[in-house]
Amino acid sequence: MAPGEPIECLAAIAWEAKKPLDVTKVIVAPPGPGEVRIKIIATALCHTDAYTLDGLDPEGLFPCILGHEAAGVVESVGEGVTSVKPGDHVIPCYQAYCGDCKFCKHPESNLCISVRAFTGKGVMKADGKPRFTTLDGKPIFHFMGTSTFSEYTVVHEQSVALVDKTAPLDKVCLLGCGVATGWGAVFNTAKVQPGTSVAVFGLGAVGLAVIEAAARAGASRIIAVDINADKFPAAKEWGATECINPKDHDKPIQAVINELTEWGCDYTFECIGNVAVMRAALECAHRGWGQSVVVGVAAAGQEISTRPFQLVTGRQWKGTAFGGYKSRVQVPQLVDEYLAGGTLLDKYITHRLPFTQINEAFDLLHSGKTLRTVLTF
Ligand code: APR
Ligand code: ZN
Ligand code: ZN
């Protein structure tokens, strides 16, 4: 097709909550000023896609095109775009980076606000409209500023990480969300030190990524916690030194861990999205200095609680979004580390399917038997 033309391509439309996705043709408009049109090569599924599709996100907009863990090739760029060009290999980042806002300039934050107001509404900043339409012209909302469940998508330039051309896109797509989040929670949020103790709650891809990073950071004791013992062999393989199933104990899990470690762990990570487990994780962080990091995303409206005494006696409660990585700057570095052989990225991919089988991939996600399913076009 000629540059600057609309593209007709395959996408998965979420028409409404709790309905299977409709794999069908859509029209993707050319990129507007400051925008990039990307040909998606591979996309994985993450719980946030399922959460929105299940209608649990009160801000979820329908119809929309979900998807936020992907990699692809730049097809064309809109007016004023200078950081990428057609043919570049990229990872779309739901956590944007402009380099210029208060959050980008702060060394401890990645919560860029440059396009957030628009990505939250499912539209593009230039004109407040989406770039997707049905064949008969109905608008379809974007999702998380990425909408990767489409052969082509349009994103803001602030949401595009330029990566090494030799990286396999059907693997590094995982760096768009879950695995990078787990690694970053360890390196950026907790800053895990060598010789320390760590407890990880929830052993899906995110929890395993925390274990992997904690092992790389030199933690000497890594306690893996899950109510599904089938998750333990992988946890050990990824670097856990011991595994605990809360169901095997009469006492609350925090009491079990506090007893095992005397005063708790130097760092604990909640990778489930369960507020009761968040409390347990805080309460088995070490008295005096233990840090507990909330990584899992709890359902809308949920609240966390603990006795203030837990904080008075030195425990710290923290949280992280996209592992604190400044996306456009650091995702390319994560790709380079992968290419240098330092990370376990390939092992998180337990299933591969063609894009047209995306609904089966959602069934797999709900089955609890997958780490990540990668779909290719
Ligand atoms: N105690 C311990 N483990 C639990 C509990 C519990 N109460 N409830 C669930 N789990 C375990 C599950 O058995 C599963 O192994 O937590 C794990 C969660 O893994 P996945 O469902 O595969 O989730 P993952 O992709 O790793 O994401 C985890 O991070 O990105 C967020 O939204 C995502 O909140 C989710 C979390
Ligand atoms: Zn995600
Ligand atoms: Zn910014």
Side-chain angles (χ1 to χ4, degrees):
M1 76 287 304
E5 293 292 314
I7 294 177
E8 188 182 308
C9 70
L10 207 58
I13 304 178
W15 283 106
E16 56 181 307
K18 297 190 183 72
K19 291 275 158 64
L21 298 179
D22 179 17
V23 179
T24 185
K25 291 275 166 104
V26 297
I27 308 281
V28 184
E35 298 170 10
V36 180
R37 188 159 61 181
I38 302 169
K39 179 173 172 50
I40 298 293
I41 302 296
T43 181
L45 283 70
C46 171
H47 285 276
T48 310
D49 303 311
Y51 178 75
T52 304
L53 185 57
D54 288 343
L56 299 171
D57 179 359
E59 287 170 12
L61 297 158
F62 294 96
C64 71
I65 294 177
L66 298 165
H68 64 284
E69 206 174 278
V73 179
V74 174
E75 178 271 339
S76 60
V77 300
E79 194 190 310
V81 171
T82 53
S83 61
V84 291
K85 57 182 186 311
D88 281 347
H89 288 200
V90 295
I91 292 180
C93 299
Y94 67 87
Q95 191 60 68
Y97 175 85
C98 72
D100 219 30
C101 73
K102 195 173 180 184
F103 293 87
C104 285
K105 283 184 176 152
H106 196 286
E108 294 294 328
S109 178
N110 65 345
L111 300 176
C112 177
I113 48 160
S114 62
V115 293
R116 181 68 190 85
F118 302 91
T119 57
K121 293 196 186 91
V123 297
M124 301 305 289
K125 186 173 181 174
D127 58 3
K129 290 183 181 152
R131 299 287 170 263
F132 297 108
T133 43
T134 59
L135 295 190
D136 56 2
K138 286 195 203 80
I140 310 168
F141 289 113
H142 297 245
F143 173 69
M144 289 177 82
T146 51
S147 289
T148 62
F149 294 164
S150 177
E151 216 176 340
Y152 288 86
T153 188
V154 174
V155 305
H156 299 99
E157 184 180 17
Q158 291 91 331
S159 310
V160 183
L162 172 64
V163 304
D164 190 310
K165 239 181 201 166
T166 63
L169 295 174
D170 63 347
K171 292 176 178 162
V172 296
C173 58
L174 298 196
L175 297 175
C177 184
V179 174
T181 299
W183 292 348
V186 168
F187 293 118
N188 304 322
T189 313
K191 301 187 174 76
V192 170
Q193 299 300 306
T196 55
S197 58
V198 171
V200 183
F201 294 79
L203 306 175
V206 177
L208 289 177
V210 168
I211 292 175
E212 178 194 348
R216 276 199 268 136
S220 50
R221 188 169 190 188
I222 303 176
I223 302 172
V225 182
D226 203 294
I227 48 173
N228 178 357
D230 293 346
K231 304 283 178 173
F232 294 161
K236 285 259 169 74
E237 194 184 336
W238 261 249
T241 54
E242 58 217 277
C243 296
I244 303 181
N245 188 340
K247 289 183 174 167
D248 294 342
H249 300 269
D250 301 328
K251 280 182 264 192
I253 184 66
Q254 55 268 52
V256 174
I257 292 177
N258 283 332
E259 219 162 81
L260 262 176
T261 55
E262 287 194 39
W263 292 105
C265 293
D266 297 314
Y267 312 94
T268 68
F269 296 86
E270 200 279 354
C271 307
I272 303 160
N274 176 323
V275 291
V277 180
M278 290 174 193
R279 176 177 194 154
L282 175 80
E283 294 180 355
C284 64
H286 204 290
R287 183 177 187 275
W289 60 77
Q291 296 184 34
S292 188
V293 183
V294 174
V295 188
V297 181
Q302 298 275 294
E303 295 185 357
I304 48 173
S305 60
T306 189
R307 287 181 301 125
F309 182 74
Q310 296 285 338
L311 303 181
V312 169
T313 49
R315 292 171 196 84
Q316 300 172 48
W317 220 342
K318 292 184 160 185
T320 187
F322 193 53
Y325 285 119
K326 290 184 184 283
S327 61
R328 277 207 293 165
V329 179
Q330 294 189 282
V331 167
Q333 296 167 3
L334 296 179
V335 169
D336 292 345
E337 284 171 31
Y338 166 73
L339 289 173
T343 61
L344 295 180
L345 198 58
D346 293 22
K347 288 196 175 189
Y348 295 87
I349 302 169
T350 49
H351 296 76
R352 288 185 177 278
L353 286 172
F355 178 72
T356 48
Q357 281 170 253
I358 189 164
N359 285 307
E360 285 161 55
F362 270 97
D363 293 342
L364 278 168
L365 179 82
H366 289 302
S367 76
K369 295 198 171 80
T370 57
L371 290 177
R372 279 297 189 263
T373 301
V374 172
L375 307 171
T376 42
F377 286 91

